[in-house]
Amino acid sequence: MSKEKVLVIDDDVVLTKMLATRLKPAGFDVTVAHSASEGLKTAYQTHPDLIVLDIMMPGMDGYQACERLRELTSAPILMLTAKSREEDVIRGFEVGADDYVRKPFTFRELEARLRALLKRASRQEAQPVYNDGVLRIDLERGRVYRCGKLVHLTPTEMRLLKALAGRPGQVLSHTRLLEEVWGPAYRDAVGNLALYIRYLREKLEDDPAHPQYIRTQWGEGYVFTPAGEAA
């Protein structure tokens, strides 16, 4: 049985060594990175099942790293923080963290939170597959095929497509899509949303300038329209 891959990103060498020593016998495959930039590279290369991320690091801090990681992976992120202010914890959730542990912490608490996050990720509600003979979207497995060929989508593109295709025919507002895909801190980033809508259309549509699947509802938002249905 394969072990869950955990990536620990923390500049504290003593702490990362301790975590690796404790987590490996508990059944985790642990990889360590001692800076945010190293962690981003490692996440891209190893595709971890879960990431433990420290907030206070020199250079790129944990908040910035979390935002970048969310462009690479949908794996749960647990943040380690020495901060106790509510605003700091909320900021972590806003940039994409799934849980946090305050320092100092016990290993039992950390392990329990890791297992809870992994269990939650594995129990995500299965969503139906869309298939019209040309475009096939497997929302459960996160796979998209066009004319039988796999279409590569970034994690952000996949989250946006899931939000739209998971509610066919329903107009979703700019604000709702931004909060669901990027988080509450990005609720006004309409230009960012428009850019990723364009990316999806270029990958999924026959004619991105005249989209058949992802349509604009002027003044409201966007709607995923199954083939053969009117906008």
Side-chain angles (χ1 to χ4, degrees):
M1 187 174 181
S2 60
K3 296 181 178 181
E4 289 93 349
K5 294 185 292 183
V6 176
L7 170 61
V8 178
I9 307 173
D10 196 314
D11 63 317
D12 187 333
V13 177
V14 175
L15 177 61
T16 55
K17 184 177 180 180
M18 182 271 290
L19 289 180
T21 300
R22 297 294 299 272
L23 288 173
K24 287 180 179 178
F28 297 99
D29 181 4
V30 182
T31 303
V32 171
H34 291 121
S35 69
S37 58
E38 182 187 353
L40 289 169
K41 182 179 179 180
T42 305
Y44 178 78
Q45 294 173 336
T46 63
H47 307 288
D49 298 305
L50 189 146
I51 298 169
V52 177
L53 175 65
D54 185 38
I55 291 180
M56 301 299 292
M57 291 185 289
M60 185 190 306
D61 65 19
Y63 298 123
Q64 296 168 306
C66 190
E67 289 182 301
R68 296 280 299 277
L69 284 165
R70 276 291 164 251
E71 295 293 322
L72 298 174
T73 178
S74 58
I77 297 176
L78 183 147
M79 299 191 87
L80 301 179
T81 177
K83 298 184 175 184
S84 58
R85 295 192 310 164
E86 182 180 9
E87 308 91 88
D88 296 315
V89 173
I90 291 174
R91 184 182 176 192
F93 287 125
E94 288 179 343
V95 296
D98 296 276
D99 199 359
Y100 70 94
V101 171
R102 287 193 177 99
K103 297 179 179 178
F105 55 84
T106 66
F107 175 76
R108 289 183 62 189
E109 178 189 6
L110 180 66
E111 182 183 0
R113 289 183 180 273
L114 294 182
R115 294 197 185 282
L117 285 174
L118 289 168
K119 184 180 294 185
R120 187 189 311 165
S122 68
R123 288 190 317 199
Q124 287 180 337
E125 184 179 354
Q127 300 184 60
V129 173
Y130 173 80
N131 189 359
D132 63 17
V134 175
L135 182 65
R136 181 175 184 272
I137 305 173
D138 189 333
L139 296 178
E140 181 180 358
R141 296 176 177 83
R143 297 287 185 272
V144 177
Y145 299 86
R146 181 167 176 77
C147 299
K149 294 183 178 180
L150 181 66
V151 179
H152 173 71
L153 298 182
T154 67
T156 300
E157 291 168 351
M158 192 67 224
R159 291 198 301 275
L160 179 56
L161 182 59
K162 281 184 176 182
L164 289 162
R167 306 177 183 89
Q170 180 179 341
V171 178
L172 301 179
S173 69
H174 301 115
T175 300
R176 181 171 179 178
L177 286 169
L178 285 163
E179 290 185 345
E180 184 170 332
V181 178
W182 283 272
Y186 292 84
R187 65 193 317 271
D188 297 319
V190 178
N192 200 44
L193 173 60
L195 180 64
Y196 274 84
I197 289 289
R198 178 165 67 84
Y199 290 159
L200 280 180
R201 286 171 172 167
E202 289 174 350
K203 294 181 178 182
L204 304 181
E205 304 279 1
D206 282 332
D207 181 1
H210 300 88
Q212 298 301 307
Y213 294 110
I214 302 174
R215 305 191 188 217
T216 302
Q217 197 76 11
W218 296 108
E220 296 183 54
Y222 298 96
V223 57
F224 180 84
T225 306
E229 294 187 12

